[in-house]
Amino acid sequence: MSSTTASTVSTASTATAAPAASTTAVTAPTTAPAPRQVPAFWLALLAAPVAAGANAPVLILPDMARSLGVATATATWMVTAFAWAMAAGTPLLAALLRRRGLKPLLRLSTALVVGGTVLVAIAPWLPVALAGRVGQSLGGAGLVAAAMNLAGSARRMGVISSGFGVMGAAGPLLGATLTDAVSWRLAFAVSAIALLAVPAVARYARDAQPGEGRFDARGATLLIALATALILLPTAPLPAVAAALLTAVLLALHVRRRPEGFVPSALLRSPLFLISAALGVTLSTTYFTLLFTVPSLLQDRAGWSKGAIGTGQLITLLTASALSWLLAASSARLGRAAVRTILVTVGATAVATAAFSASGPLLLLAAGAAAFTATGANATLSVHAASATTPAQRPTAIGLFALSYQLGGAFGPGITTLLILS
């Protein structure tokens, strides 16, 4: 997830070859059997459905709003709450993985996904639906944390991220189809598909050992407060800036007092981690902004119907996901600098195209380019970020990178509200 040196991604891949759910360095004799790797298919199935659940509202915000008796702009809080819980929950549940191991994480995540899905299905009012979405998202964050920590290489991480891309691509059209056929509530249940992978992952990873260490509750609270303040920037800029600055100062003081806590000081001093996290949040924000903005632009500028938009997005984002896997698979050969250059160049081109083009195909191309950069960044930069620390801290590094990436999932809908729905 971060890469600022001239060394290649192969270094990161080697550094993370062992499943990250085991948080201690390997010191067993050479005669000890190596831990079995979870097949990449199961990891993708464990993590990817959350992307479909996250993107399902793209084309059905008005339907949700009418059902709950709120304005369309207010209904976007269903998206923001989901993204906030993903951002806050991923490092928290990665910490649970580090301290308690894989099986407790899978049990808690399963319970959260099931409980959240039930709440959304029966919610008569927006606050109840929001609580359900938060539960779904926290559970999904745990499943994503497990999958990312068990990946171990850029190629396997690429399979997970491509699965994210495929399910994310299908999310808008799937959400619209399920809404038209049954209800928007069913569209939000698709993330529960991930639970099919839980038994297989638990079986393959049963030898993973939990880590040790006292949980840094104050550091976790301050980090979540900072993430919350940042997420509110598009909707309440002045209070959010004040809260973010205050929380950042308190968190910095806390990190100085407890450098090995929830936010390790070594990561904050690592250019490799910091640049990866910064690129992750930037490219993710671009993607989620265009994901929710391009459908409105296609209607307003090109006169496309909702069905045409959904189909066009599906084809475009599926193509982008396949290309992002190719980038992840070849990232070791390309090197970190080349990967960063590709991601930044394509991301900037996507923004410029969406801002100035009135052509439907070009607008879809912009959305696809943004999806390619975000999915590719998640696959490659996450491995870089994990290589910036010790084996014991890899779940923490991946969790914090995922937090920065998921912030984009909250910023994007907020920016869309300001640009399109206000």
Side-chain angles (χ1 to χ4, degrees):
M1 295 180 188
S2 91
S3 82
T4 60
T5 67
S7 59
T8 63
V9 175
S10 59
T11 304
S13 300
T14 302
T16 57
S22 177
T23 60
T24 57
V26 177
T27 58
T30 56
T31 57
R36 294 184 300 166
Q37 279 194 324
V38 182
F41 167 79
W42 290 116
L43 296 181
L45 182 60
L46 186 71
V50 72
N55 293 354
V58 170
L59 299 175
I60 61 173
L61 284 173
D63 300 273
M64 294 162 46
R66 283 192 299 271
S67 175
L68 295 170
V70 297
T72 301
T74 305
T76 60
W77 279 104
M78 292 278 281
V79 181
T80 302
F82 190 92
W84 170 82
M86 281 292 294
T90 303
L92 282 174
L93 291 162
L96 174 64
L97 172 64
R98 182 188 175 203
R99 299 184 69 247
R100 297 288 183 241
L102 182 67
K103 288 187 177 179
L105 174 64
L106 293 178
R107 286 195 292 267
L108 176 61
S109 299
T110 298
L112 287 168
V113 170
V114 171
T117 301
V118 170
L119 273 182
V120 172
I122 65 174
W125 309 292
L126 180 62
V128 179
L130 287 175
R133 286 292 277 169
V134 168
Q136 287 181 314
S137 183
L138 288 173
L143 300 180
V144 170
M148 292 178 72
N149 276 280
L150 292 168
S153 71
R155 183 182 294 271
R156 283 162 58 83
M157 191 71 81
V159 174
I160 296 172
S161 293
S162 295
F164 261 99
V166 169
M167 294 300 288
L173 185 59
L174 182 61
T177 301
L178 292 175
T179 298
D180 291 340
V182 183
S183 168
W184 63 268
R185 299 174 190 274
L186 183 61
F188 284 116
V190 295
S191 58
I193 295 171
L195 300 182
L196 296 175
V198 169
V201 172
R203 181 175 67 250
Y204 276 97
R206 63 179 179 269
D207 296 326
Q209 298 297 316
E212 299 177 355
R214 184 167 59 90
F215 181 66
D216 179 14
R218 180 176 297 178
T221 300
L222 289 171
L223 182 65
I224 293 171
L226 177 60
T228 303
L230 292 174
I231 287 170
L232 293 174
L233 278 174
T235 53
L238 292 180
V241 167
L245 290 175
L246 175 61
T247 309
V249 170
L250 294 175
L251 181 59
L253 294 173
H254 176 75
V255 169
R256 291 187 63 183
R257 288 193 299 268
R258 189 167 177 183
E260 298 298 325
F262 193 79
V263 183
S265 61
L267 283 179
L268 299 182
R269 293 194 302 267
S270 168
L272 181 62
F273 177 83
L274 292 176
I275 291 180
S276 294
L279 284 176
V281 68
T282 301
L283 296 172
S284 175
T285 300
T286 298
Y287 166 56
F288 282 103
T289 300
L290 293 185
L291 180 69
F292 283 87
T293 302
V294 164
S296 294
L297 297 179
L298 286 170
Q299 284 183 321
D300 297 340
R301 296 180 184 178
W304 285 27
S305 67
K306 186 168 71 172
I309 293 170
T311 303
Q313 276 197 320
L314 176 63
I315 295 171
T316 303
L317 298 184
L318 286 176
T319 303
S321 299
L323 293 175
S324 71
W325 181 85
L326 293 177
L327 176 66
S330 60
S331 59
R333 179 173 52 83
L334 291 172
R336 289 175 179 166
V339 168
R340 290 197 303 269
T341 300
I342 291 170
L343 293 174
V344 171
T345 301
V346 176
T349 303
V351 172
T353 302
F356 299 108
S357 177
S359 165
L362 285 180
L363 288 171
L364 280 180
L365 183 62
F372 165 79
T373 59
T375 307
N378 195 34
T380 58
L381 301 183
S382 59
V383 175
H384 300 171
S387 70
T389 187
T390 63
Q393 290 289 350
R394 280 182 195 138
T396 301
I398 290 175
L400 293 177
F401 174 86
L403 183 151
S404 67
Y405 183 88
Q406 292 298 335
L407 284 176
F411 291 155
I415 294 172
T416 300
T417 301
L418 294 177
L419 295 176
I420 303 293
L421 300 177
S422 296

